[in-house]
Amino acid sequence: MVVRPRPLLGALLALALALTGLVALPSPARAATAVCALACDTLDPSKAQRDTFPVPDRTVNGRVVRLHVSDPDSMAWASIDGGAAGDAVWLDRSWDRGATWEGLLGKASVPGSWTGTRTLMYNITDPVGHRRGWLRACGDAAGVTCTDWVYPKVCDGTVCDGADPGTAAGDDTPVPSTTLFGRTISLHVDHRNGTAWGVVANGGAGDEIWLDRSWDGGASHPEGSSLGRTSVPAGATSTRTALFATRDPRGLLYGGAVRACGREAAHQEGSCTAWARPAPTRARVAADALMASYHTNEGWWRSSWWNSAVALTSVIDFAERSGRHDYDWVIARTYEQNKGVFPAGGRSSDPIEGHFISRAIDDAGWWAVAWLTAYDYTGERRYLDEAVTITEYVHRYWDTGTCGGGVWWDRERTYKNAVTNGLYLWLTTSLHRRIGGDTVWGARAATAADWYLASGMINSSGLVNDGITTGCANNGQTVWSYNQGLAIGAFTQLWRSTGSARYLDTAERLADAAISSPALTRGGVLTESCDLGTASCDDNQKQFKGIFVRHLADLADATGSAAYDTYLAKQADSVWTTDRDPLNRLGQRWAGTAPNPSDWRTQASALGALTAASG
């Protein structure tokens, strides 16, 4: 039976318990919605990769209540020990810094003759929902107590929330300040360390300044409101907040946005600057913004199957060239979550039949490129094996019965085009270079190269048209940058493999044509036909330019050409200066002209430009 205290007695009892640290004052609890990050809520603790105790235990009537955390899993669980049957333990989880919480998560009671029990595991973070959580362990043994929350502070390496702005490595104001009743409210960032703080100036005693922090570009910020809120002291006219981080690697949250907000003492209304993100390096912030769209639970960038393969390749290239390991976990996560079977609509409009294979031959080829890139970076044999499996599938559609060779674009064998054959040529020669003693892939690469050069897809201007007609002639369709880039990359790889000058000559001829022809370059900036005027690129075309610069960078490395390096630098400079907003989001048009939409596809493509110029 539950005895309900009279209102006054109940209030006094709650206050007394709170002051003794036995229980927190009540706050509205929200119903828990299952969260999936690297795993879903209610994972068994026996599967935890690590067991740490980041906050002190709490004792209630001789029972020990403990919070357990596995940072590699971004999950926590609670235990109670030294108890008796009927004692209970659970987790509370808050998404708004403890103002409210989902209570009684995983509540478990000590059974029978046992002396302790534990909950299941729950996620501390929700990167898909762009939320950073706090968790605590609570126990009931004829009285309730809870541990401290974990993790109140965001830490990015050695930099954590709450540091003194005087320790900042720099001071930049990335967005205009705002004014309110004569007060100036400004956002300051330390680009190098990715931290920010707010300043209120020209004010008086009692004026307030704080930061808001958002993990979804300012769309929401319940956990990050009123960070470092502080008031101007008597006799002063300005003050500042502490430093706060804008990345939470432990929580799998990257590219956090911040703004500075303030209030004049005599008025309730406040004013805020625009949202902004620090920019430690060009490529790093582009990668952070790209990762903000990664669906951690599913292991891909949702809604585009082949585009996700190219985005993953861009992330790996960034890691390789920058030496940063922030996203190494993404490689295995993408592989493990997507190597299986999916029905139509699950990952693509076509069914995925396992090993990243579907009826679209070129889609499979892009995944083989991603896994070869992953193999080069990690050395893990499973990625090379996966690339071999996929490329064997692509090879099944090499057909000498039509046009003397070439790979079909689809299972229905309706079209032989540049993208599928550029992929096949790059993959076969790349496998030959990575498999010791190989003769099979090398022979296939030589045959494919001869066919490609004779196919007519390369026109008289040295540009690659989209494909060939049923009569086996160049179809004169659009010159796309990714077709040009794949051919450059494939013939560069063939030269590395064979030393044959004709392959390197071909790669250079294709590259020189691309950087000099208005079909692909205008004003020195790589430009698709869908980047012109009021045209718009579709979701596929948004990623073409990033593929081109990846392969041009390979040729630049192979030749040491200053002209190619200069061109790559021009792309990166144009992206950075004309195609970027204060949140480091990068658009479709690298020259920055309108209309210029941005999404994760344009972000991955532009990341390719910034990475290619940084090596």
Side-chain angles (χ1 to χ4, degrees), residues 483-493 507 510-511 514 548 551-552 555:
N483 286 331
Q484 198 82 9
L486 278 169
I488 291 168
F491 285 107
T492 301
Q493 289 292 307
L510 293 167
F548 174 87
H551 292 292
L552 183 63
L555 179 60

Side-chain angles (χ1 to χ4, degrees), residues 589-602:
R589 299 188 179 198
W590 292 2
T593 56
N596 194 22
S598 63
D599 60 20
W600 65 262
R601 301 166 191 82
T602 66

Side-chain angles (χ1 to χ4, degrees), residues 25-72:
L25 285 171
S27 181
R30 298 183 299 183
T33 300
V35 172
C36 293
L38 296 177
C40 290
D41 287 348
T42 70
L43 186 69
D44 192 293
S46 65
K47 297 181 179 179
Q49 298 181 59
R50 191 177 299 167
D51 186 359
T52 61
F53 320 110
V55 297
D57 298 342
R58 285 294 173 86
T59 302
V60 52
N61 294 322
R63 283 72 158 173
V64 176
V65 177
R66 177 170 294 163
L67 179 66
H68 304 250
V69 172
S70 175
D71 282 329

Side-chain angles (χ1 to χ4, degrees), residues 11 30 32 66 78 125-126 130 140 177 214 257 474 524 592:
R30 298 183 299 183
R66 177 170 294 163
T125 185
D126 180 17
H130 306 289
D140 182 359
S177 59
S214 173
N474 185 310

